[in-house]
Amino acid sequence: MVSLSNHEGDGASSSDRLRMRGIAEVRGEGTMDNLSSLKEELTRAAAAAADLAALEEVRIGALGKKGRITALMKELGTLSPEQRKAQGAALNVLKDEVAAAIEARKEALAGAALDAKLMEERIDVTLPARPESVGRIHPISQTVDEVVAIFGEMGFTVAEGPDIETDWNNFTALNIPPEHPARQEHDTFYLPGEVDGQRMVLRTHTSPVQIRTMLKAKPPIRIICPGRTFRCDYDATHSPMFHQVEGLVIDETTHMGHLKGCLIEFCRAYFGVDDLPVRFRPSYFPFTEPSAEVDIGCERSPAGLKIGHGSDWLEILGCGMVNPKVLENCGIDPARYQGFAFGMGLERISMLKYGIPDLRTYFESDLRWLRHYGFASLDMPSLVGGSYS
Ligand code: PHE
């Protein structure tokens, strides 16, 4: 009402006066005094909101489409330019202050809600786990740990490479040119399109990590590379995604005798059979020359398969002396350097060691399977204790 009387008789047109009277009568909140009491009322309401829902009500009542501050804003159009300027500025300040009060309360409520949640969900991490809810280590993780532990003791370090490879790293650099028959055997998954004029593939073996390592490191090199590999194949002994471990040694003196000694030692340590028969059979891989496949002794009986002395052999890995062409492709002088490489399927050696009959079950995410074949989380493999000693 104060504002209305201020404007009486100041030359405003009668329709202006009428409009202004209407505003003041309807809202009665537009004056400076009223604005400050409105601010007090709204900020107090915000501070007193007991929860987020109550706070939202305060916000809607003040700043929502039909809120009190919004209504005052809408009335600005009915004021004279001068009044509009002063009133607009005051309303903007009010709006900001009320919004800030709501925001502050929101943060306080969120903080309190988080505190309450944390209190409610508090757990004593020092309590022993319930036996029925203890997790198990997947046989592949366990096998990787075991293989890394054995080769680690021999001085190998672990190298890694990406699952998606260039055609060159996966094939060409490994002496498998485009028309080579070995390409067909690999049942490759090709990715659509090309990158820098090259087709990309899901790596069909871990051998491209040899290439990556030789391209960036100088000999001597002694690495193993465990990792995922992909081939379009699916039955009891094949899965489209499986794991291999690759090994590579390059220096000036390493020869076939070292290859044999290293792999015989590995097989005996991994299967935990000190006198395990191991034989090397001539074979062919484009990236090694000469090449061999390695068999271990076993006995097949109606009771099952037993690794060790027996009348039978089981193939477990491929190996050979690195083909000089591969060294050349990687910028390593084959007249000076030589070495060996090997590769094996991790599911295969884990199935043999732990008597797991079907490779597909490794990736079915069946918890009953994992409880049966999995390993205790603290069962760390080592050469002096653990699952293969
Ligand atoms: N890359 C071969 C395969 O996947 C295995 C292998 C690696 C053989 C290194 C020899 C040397 O079948």
Side-chain angles (χ1 to χ4, degrees):
M1 290 304 170
V2 180
S3 68
L4 190 66
S5 58
N6 282 346
H7 296 300
E8 291 272 34
D10 63 358
S13 73
S14 61
S15 65
D16 273 348
R17 277 202 295 277
L18 258 180
R19 230 183 306 133
M20 285 190 286
R21 182 179 294 128
I23 298 159
E25 278 169 1
V26 171
R27 309 296 318 174
E29 288 180 340
T31 66
M32 290 299 168
D33 279 357
N34 285 351
L35 285 191
S36 78
S37 66
L38 180 59
K39 174 191 149 187
E40 211 154 280
E41 181 192 336
L42 290 174
T43 48
R44 211 179 302 127
D51 53 29
L52 286 174
L55 186 62
E56 182 61 3
E57 255 172 48
V58 173
R59 190 191 66 78
I60 292 170
L63 303 167
K65 254 193 211 153
K66 292 185 181 151
R68 290 160 78 183
I69 296 179
T70 315
L72 290 172
M73 291 280 196
K74 280 184 194 156
E75 287 164 5
L76 285 175
T78 66
L79 301 182
S80 69
E82 227 167 74
Q83 288 172 324
R84 193 183 304 146
K85 206 170 158 203
Q87 183 75 347
L91 281 177
N92 273 334
V93 170
L94 171 67
K95 194 175 141 190
D96 289 348
E97 284 170 341
V98 171
I102 291 172
E103 199 45 45
R105 183 64 185 152
K106 201 180 210 169
E107 268 173 35
L109 284 174
L114 182 62
D115 284 347
K117 191 161 184 258
L118 288 175
M119 283 302 283
E120 193 184 307
E121 292 177 1
R122 196 163 65 161
I123 50 164
D124 182 350
V125 293
T126 63
L127 286 175
R130 289 197 195 100
E132 71 274 14
S133 54
V134 170
R136 306 290 287 177
I137 302 291
H138 194 282
I140 280 298
S141 306
Q142 176 76 13
T143 304
V144 169
D145 286 351
E146 293 174 14
V147 169
V148 168
I150 297 171
F151 285 113
E153 295 260 335
M154 294 185 196
F156 285 77
T157 53
V158 173
E160 283 179 314
D163 294 351
I164 296 176
E165 265 296 2
T166 60
D167 187 286
W168 193 82
N169 282 346
N170 192 80
F171 292 121
T172 312
L174 286 157
N175 196 34
I176 317 176
E179 69 289 355
H180 199 286
R183 288 213 179 200
Q184 271 72 60
E185 282 164 33
H186 276 220
D187 298 313
T188 313
F189 289 111
Y190 286 95
L191 273 74
E194 290 186 350
V195 177
D196 298 331
Q198 281 198 61
R199 274 196 301 186
M200 302 298 284
V201 302
L202 290 181
R203 66 178 178 192
T204 58
H205 49 178
T206 39
S207 304
V209 184
Q210 286 186 34
I211 302 300
R212 287 177 173 272
T213 306
M214 287 192 280
L215 284 174
K216 63 171 196 264
K218 295 239 166 314
I221 292 169
R222 197 179 286 178
I223 52 147
I224 54 163
C225 163
R228 285 196 186 102
T229 47
F230 306 84
R231 291 185 200 176
C232 188
D233 217 344
Y234 186 68
D235 60 34
T237 52
H238 297 90
S239 146
M241 190 283 292
F242 60 107
H243 297 77
Q244 284 192 341
V245 61
E246 187 88 5
L248 176 71
V249 176
I250 302 288
D251 58 26
E252 296 185 29
T253 53
T254 290
H255 53 67
M256 192 89 185
H258 296 115
L259 174 155
K260 289 185 74 176
C262 172
L263 293 177
I264 291 170
E265 189 56 38
F266 166 76
C267 292
R268 292 183 174 163
Y270 176 77
F271 289 103
V273 181
D274 284 346
D275 57 351
L276 179 68
V278 179
R279 80 174 180 189
F280 289 71
R281 233 177 338 99
S283 183
Y284 173 78
F285 298 103
F287 30 89
T288 47
E289 182 58 38
S291 304
E293 273 168 318
V294 175
D295 300 334
I296 54 172
C298 69
E299 185 66 62
R300 282 175 231 261
S301 72
L305 179 79
K306 195 171 174 298
I307 306 279
H309 280 281
S311 55
D312 236 328
W313 293 99
L314 253 178
E315 179 200 320
I316 64 154
L317 63 89
C319 62
M321 300 304 292
V322 177
N323 191 318
K325 285 191 197 145
V326 175
L327 295 175
E328 241 165 53
N329 289 340
C330 299
I332 292 180
D333 180 5
R336 180 166 171 203
Y337 294 108
Q338 60 189 30
F340 64 81
F342 58 87
M344 69 190 109
L346 288 168
E347 284 80 4
R348 179 162 173 78
I349 61 169
S350 133
M351 285 164 80
L352 290 172
K353 180 166 172 178
Y354 296 114
I356 304 174
D358 191 327
L359 186 146
R360 289 168 295 199
T361 56
Y362 277 72
F363 309 115
E364 282 172 355
S365 302
D366 185 336
L367 275 179
R368 291 163 307 173
W369 182 88
L370 190 58
R371 281 190 196 112
H372 183 75
Y373 287 114
F375 294 84
S377 56
L378 295 177
D379 186 11
M380 297 292 282
S382 83
L383 284 182
V384 286
S387 61
Y388 56 76
S389 65

